[in-house]
């Protein structure tokens, strides 16, 4: 279970940090611009170097002998990458000669991990939450920098992660440069059960047990570790058939430098044609380019969100309104950041490859126009809805008045006709009707 510590943040403190964050936001936007331009420039330069190298490479039938005719030229070779040398871990005594593999071992890799505390930080408008959990990690995590360092101390890391490479490595009649050896990375788990008797130090042997594929040192066990416990495992790289595209210099296969300064050295495990190797290199180049483009967009987005951070901070005291403002700002900033990123990519390509750059710029412009048209349609829809509601109200009022008039007329038709009023005769005495006498 995680150990959690919550730090409350006042409104003024949160607003002040947001205002300071705007400076970082502008810096992130500048970094995004630099990253996007560098990535596009590097992608184009790499593509040109690959095209140049693919047009110059010569596939040699065998690596058994060095042909002086290809001195200083780009060659493609396939052969067994092998060695007669042995490497040994100077602490734990594990050696490439101890493996049960039939093939020779080219590299031995030691992975050292310590069970230790790590800190996770999560910040919202009103508080910052620090959570502390224990997990295995290579290298010591500096617990002195934790917000709550007490009770979360990580001891020093006793052993490092290291790699040993057998030397020399043979590739037919050739040898590989150090740059080529760095690309030899097809690791497999060490193919032998570990034994504490191989450990050179007697004291370390007493402190160490073998648990699974690990040397284990500490108070706990692999299933129930304690902070400070260390486990050490090993991996190996076996000798295997390898294909290489490199520049031949004597009997060494080195990095080829293209006319634009980009370095080309291709190495793959197994048997591959030069065409397949260049296709793989172009695919890796495209994957890297798109990952960096996405990274540039994210940096741009985070920078813009930090710039508008003070606006969100002003409403942070209101629980629902603060979240609504933050969501609204994110919805506004995200398409804006994407548009700016596309514009930057288009401008970069326009400078190096006008045709593709024009297409990207057109896509960015269409996105801007689409967002503008969408906003206008939304506004028009809202206006029409309001107008229709008003018309409906007027129509309902007219309909009601008409209904009342019709109802009154019906009532008048159904009412019985008025009867004439009967006049009652009035009796007047005759004597009063006589004319008065004359005097």
């Amino acid at each position: 279970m995680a150990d959690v510590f919550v730090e409350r943040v006042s409104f003024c403190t949160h607003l002040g940090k947001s205002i300071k964050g705007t400076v970082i936001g502008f810096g992130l936007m500048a970094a995004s611009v630099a990253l996007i331009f560098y990535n596009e420039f590097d992608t184009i330069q790499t593509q040109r170097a690959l095209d140049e190298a693919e047009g110059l490479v010569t596939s040699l039938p065998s690596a058994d002998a060095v042909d002086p005719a290809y001195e200083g030229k780009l060659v493609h070779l396939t052969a067994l990458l092998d060695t007669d040398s042995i490497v040994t871990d100077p602490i734990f005594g594990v050696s490439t000669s101890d493996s049960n593999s039939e093939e020779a071992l080219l590299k031995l890799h030691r992975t050292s991990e310590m069970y230790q505390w790590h800190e996770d930080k999560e910040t919202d408008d009103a508080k910052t939450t620090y959570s502390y959990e224990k997990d295995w990690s290579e290298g010591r995590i500096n617990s002195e920098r934790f917000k709550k360092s007490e009770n979360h101390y990580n001891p020093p890391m006793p052993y490092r992660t290291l790699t040993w490479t057998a030397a020399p490595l043979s590739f037919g009649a050739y040898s590989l440069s150090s740059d080529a050896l760095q690309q030899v990375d097809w690791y497999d788990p060490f193919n032998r059960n570990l034994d504490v008797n191989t450990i050179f130090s007697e004291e370390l042997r007493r402190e160490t047990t073998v648990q699974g594929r690990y040397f284990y040192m500490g108070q706990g066990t692999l299933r129930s570790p304690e902070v400070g416990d260390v486990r050490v495992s090993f991996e190996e790289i076996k000798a295997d058939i390898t294909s290489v595209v490199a520049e031949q210099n004597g009997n060494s296969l080195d990095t080829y430098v293209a006319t634009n300064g980009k370095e080309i050295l291709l190495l793959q495990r197994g048997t591959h044609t030069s065409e397949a190797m260049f296709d793989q290199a172009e695919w890796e180049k495209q994957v890297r380019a798109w990952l960096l483009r996405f990274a540039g967009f994210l940096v741009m987005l985070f920078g813009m969100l930090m710039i508008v951070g003070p606006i969100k901070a002003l409403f942070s005291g209101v629980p629902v309104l603060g979240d609504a403002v933050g969501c609204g700002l994110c919805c506004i900033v995200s398409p804006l950041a994407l548009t700016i990123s596309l514009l930057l990519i288009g401008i970069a390509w326009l400078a190096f490859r006008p045709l593709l750059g024009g297409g990207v710029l057109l896509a960015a412009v269409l996105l801007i126009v689409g967002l503008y048209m969408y906003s206008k349609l939304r506004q028009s829809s809202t206006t029409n809805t309001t107008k229709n509601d008003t018309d409906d109200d007027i129509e309902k009022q007219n309909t009601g008045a008409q209904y009342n008039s019709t109802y009154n007329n019906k009532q008048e038709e159904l009412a019985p006709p008025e009867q004439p009023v009967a006049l009652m005769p009035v009796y007047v005495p005759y004597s009063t009707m006589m004319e008065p006498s004359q005097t």
Side-chain angles (χ1 to χ4, degrees), residues 110-409:
R110 177 219 289 169
T111 301
S112 299
E113 301 170 285
M114 184 170 69
Y115 195 69
Q116 54 189 308
W117 290 102
H118 65 91
E119 179 185 71
D120 290 328
K121 178 181 177 181
E122 183 177 351
T123 302
D124 58 18
D125 297 335
K127 64 182 183 300
T128 300
T129 303
Y130 300 88
S131 59
Y132 300 89
E133 293 183 317
K134 295 174 283 187
D135 201 358
W136 293 100
S137 178
E138 293 185 45
R140 178 180 181 267
I141 300 174
N142 189 357
S143 56
E144 284 78 9
R145 296 182 178 180
F146 290 169
K147 184 67 177 179
K148 298 287 288 185
S149 57
E150 59 271 17
N151 301 324
H152 303 114
Y153 173 73
N154 291 327
M157 187 77 178
Y159 311 106
R160 294 183 299 162
T161 294
L162 293 173
T163 300
W164 295 272
T165 303
L169 298 181
S170 62
F171 186 71
Y174 296 85
S175 63
L176 298 181
S177 65
S178 58
D179 292 337
L181 293 178
Q182 292 179 3
Q183 299 187 35
V184 180
D185 57 359
W186 48 85
Y187 285 99
D188 295 314
F190 190 67
N191 190 17
R192 184 193 169 180
N193 294 329
L194 300 177
D195 186 354
V196 294
N197 292 320
T198 62
I199 300 176
F200 292 108
S201 170
E202 182 178 351
E203 180 181 358
L204 182 58
R205 282 200 300 270
R206 290 195 299 267
E207 298 174 353
T208 304
T209 59
V210 176
Q211 300 187 26
R213 63 186 186 92
Y214 296 99
F215 281 133
Y216 196 92
M217 293 140 280
Q219 301 299 318
T221 64
L222 195 59
R223 292 188 176 182
S224 181
E226 300 289 339
V227 171
D229 289 2
V230 176
R231 65 183 187 184
V232 176
S233 60
F234 292 88
E235 293 176 305
E236 63 187 19
I237 293 181
K238 303 174 185 177
D240 205 345
I241 298 295
T242 307
S243 298
V244 176
V245 172
E247 182 181 299
Q248 177 180 315
N249 291 314
N251 68 337
S252 177
L253 296 176
D254 299 326
T255 301
Y256 170 76
V257 181
T259 55
N260 61 5
K262 296 296 293 183
E263 297 181 347
I264 300 296
L265 195 155
L266 308 181
L267 185 146
Q268 292 183 28
R269 185 183 188 182
T271 301
H272 303 278
T273 64
S274 61
E275 292 81 3
M277 296 182 70
F278 278 101
D279 289 342
Q280 177 68 18
E282 291 181 3
W283 180 81
E284 293 175 354
K285 182 251 320 174
Q286 289 293 339
V287 171
R288 177 178 176 272
W290 280 107
L291 288 176
L292 288 180
R293 285 168 186 151
F294 184 67
F297 160 71
L298 289 181
V299 174
M300 177 69 69
L301 176 61
F302 291 151
M304 296 181 69
L305 287 175
M306 294 187 73
I307 291 173
V308 300
I311 300 177
K312 180 184 177 183
L314 290 174
F315 300 92
S316 60
V318 185
V320 177
L321 184 59
D323 295 337
V325 171
C327 182
L329 289 174
C330 185
C331 293
I332 294 173
V333 168
S334 296
L336 184 59
L338 177 61
T339 304
I340 294 176
S341 299
L342 288 177
L343 285 172
L344 292 173
I345 293 172
I347 293 172
W349 277 87
L350 193 62
F352 305 120
R353 288 192 174 181
L355 184 60
L356 292 176
V360 176
L361 282 176
L362 179 61
V365 171
L366 291 177
L367 179 60
I368 295 174
V369 173
L371 291 173
Y372 175 76
M373 295 299 295
Y374 176 75
S375 64
K376 296 297 289 184
L377 287 175
R378 290 271 298 179
Q379 182 179 2
S380 176
S381 176
T382 304
T383 304
N384 291 337
T385 302
T386 304
K387 181 179 179 182
N388 291 336
D389 292 342
T390 304
D391 293 342
D392 291 342
D393 293 339
I394 295 174
E395 184 177 354
K396 289 179 180 179
Q397 294 176 1
N398 294 335
T399 302
Q402 183 179 0
Y403 174 79
N404 292 335
S405 176
T406 303
Y407 177 79
N408 293 333
N409 293 335

